[in-house]
Amino acid sequence: EIISKLFEHAGLKTSVDRVGRITDRLVGQMGDIEDCRVFKITGVRKLIEDKDSNKGITRGHATNIIYDKDAAGVSSFIRHRDLAIEEWKRGGLSPADVFDYLLKKGVFRPGLVFICPSCGLEFWRAIKSLAESTECEYCGHIFPTGPVLNDRGDWRFRLSGLFGRDDHQAGAIPVVLSLLQILRLHRHGNSFVYSTALKIRGTGIDCEVDLIALHSDLEFKPIVIIGECKTNYEIDRTDA
């Protein structure tokens, strides 16, 4: 409401975009903006984008992606070992710690991959949906679950909720990381207001803004930040 009134003062009307609602929901799922620090890790962003994460990925494969070692054997994870995503652990952060955190936050959910005895196709089932009988999601064949399980330990983990969307969470992660950086600058102040993905309309103006933040400088003068955020592309003059 504060941001809306501010733009009204300039003769502009604002409304919350669908993308803004997705971003707010993503922050809510993690807890708050500070709980989104895990997305600073390059390997975590790559894991969320990896095609296997939507089909069902093993824990070992997931932690390897988080470790993010290049062809020369250099890992991008090393620079994040001191990142505090929850209670600090002696010895620094590990890829396994990071994956456990993603599980706690519901970014991934565990399950098993079955091979249908009728059509021969693989499909994934979440733990909560396992029952005495399993139905193939492709051909509808129902078969007993018990004999297939045996002593299996090959759990597969799959993205859930907003993270399972095929639209890259509508670009929410770079917006959240930008807000996290703005919050760092704000530590000295006593107010911090933000909104994500607003449509702004007025005379000669019809655009969308990824984020707007209000905070104050060291002299408590108000600052308005209007931001454009991208995941993999550069911001060009048209965006500006």
Side-chain angles (χ1 to χ4, degrees), residues 176-187:
V176 169
L177 290 177
S178 299
L179 284 170
L180 190 58
Q181 290 302 105
I182 295 170
L183 188 60
R184 291 284 179 271
L185 298 174
H186 151 75
R187 292 299 183 196

Side-chain angles (χ1 to χ4, degrees), residues 159-228:
L159 289 169
S160 68
L162 287 173
F163 295 94
R165 296 171 62 96
D166 58 5
D167 61 354
H168 308 289
Q169 299 78 49
I173 289 179
V175 172
V176 169
L177 290 177
S178 299
L179 284 170
L180 190 58
Q181 290 302 105
I182 295 170
L183 188 60
R184 291 284 179 271
L185 298 174
H186 151 75
R187 292 299 183 196
H188 60 268
N190 57 2
S191 62
F192 179 72
V193 177
Y194 75 89
S195 181
T196 59
L198 287 179
K199 293 181 179 179
I200 301 178
R201 291 182 173 86
T203 304
I205 294 177
D206 186 355
C207 65
E208 296 179 358
V209 175
D210 286 338
L211 68 88
I212 294 174
L214 310 179
H215 73 118
S216 56
D217 63 14
L218 290 170
E219 297 177 350
F220 295 95
K221 293 179 180 178
I223 296 174
V224 180
I225 297 175
I226 301 177
E228 171 76 11

Side-chain angles (χ1 to χ4, degrees), residues 19-219:
V19 176
R21 300 186 192 281
I22 292 174
T23 305
D24 287 343
R25 182 67 201 94
L26 185 146
V27 173
Q29 179 175 338
M30 298 301 293
D32 59 30
I33 295 177
E34 288 288 359
D35 293 318
C36 294
R37 280 176 288 180
V38 69
F39 299 130
K40 295 177 71 174
I41 301 172
T42 307
V44 168
R45 300 196 301 274
K46 289 185 176 181
L47 178 61
I48 293 172
E49 294 292 324
D50 193 277
K51 63 181 187 303
D52 288 338
S53 295
N54 258 322
K55 296 187 297 184
I57 192 169
T58 64
R59 183 183 182 91
H61 189 186
T63 53
N64 283 339
I65 293 175
I66 293 172
Y67 193 64
D68 190 34
K69 186 166 62 175
D70 62 19
V74 179
S75 167
S76 69
F77 183 79
I78 299 302
R79 65 177 180 267
H80 299 296
R81 290 203 58 175
D82 294 327
L83 181 67
I85 58 174
E86 54 182 345
E87 185 178 349
W88 186 81
K89 296 181 179 180
R90 186 176 298 278
L93 196 64
S94 72
D97 295 331
V98 173
F99 192 62
D100 285 342
Y101 182 78
L102 296 175
L103 288 173
K104 291 176 187 176
K105 295 297 183 178
V107 177
F108 284 85
R109 54 179 175 164
L112 286 171
V113 171
F114 292 92
I115 299 177
C116 175
S118 178
C119 69
L121 296 176
E122 290 187 349
F123 63 95
W124 181 87
R125 279 284 182 272
I127 286 180
K128 67 178 182 180
S129 65
L130 294 179
E132 292 182 357
S133 297
T134 300
E135 180 179 354
C136 173
E137 65 180 46
Y138 297 112
C139 70
H141 177 67
I142 298 175
F143 57 94
T145 304
V148 180
L149 291 178
N150 294 322
D151 57 351
R152 290 180 59 170
D154 56 336
W155 294 101
R156 300 289 183 94
F157 301 87
R158 187 164 152 181
L159 289 169
S160 68
L162 287 173
F163 295 94
R165 296 171 62 96
D166 58 5
D167 61 354
H168 308 289
Q169 299 78 49
I173 289 179
V175 172
V176 169
L177 290 177
S178 299
L179 284 170
L180 190 58
Q181 290 302 105
I182 295 170
L183 188 60
R184 291 284 179 271
L185 298 174
H186 151 75
R187 292 299 183 196
H188 60 268
N190 57 2
S191 62
F192 179 72
V193 177
Y194 75 89
S195 181
T196 59
L198 287 179
K199 293 181 179 179
I200 301 178
R201 291 182 173 86
T203 304
I205 294 177
D206 186 355
C207 65
E208 296 179 358
V209 175
D210 286 338
L211 68 88
I212 294 174
L214 310 179
H215 73 118
S216 56
D217 63 14
L218 290 170
E219 297 177 350

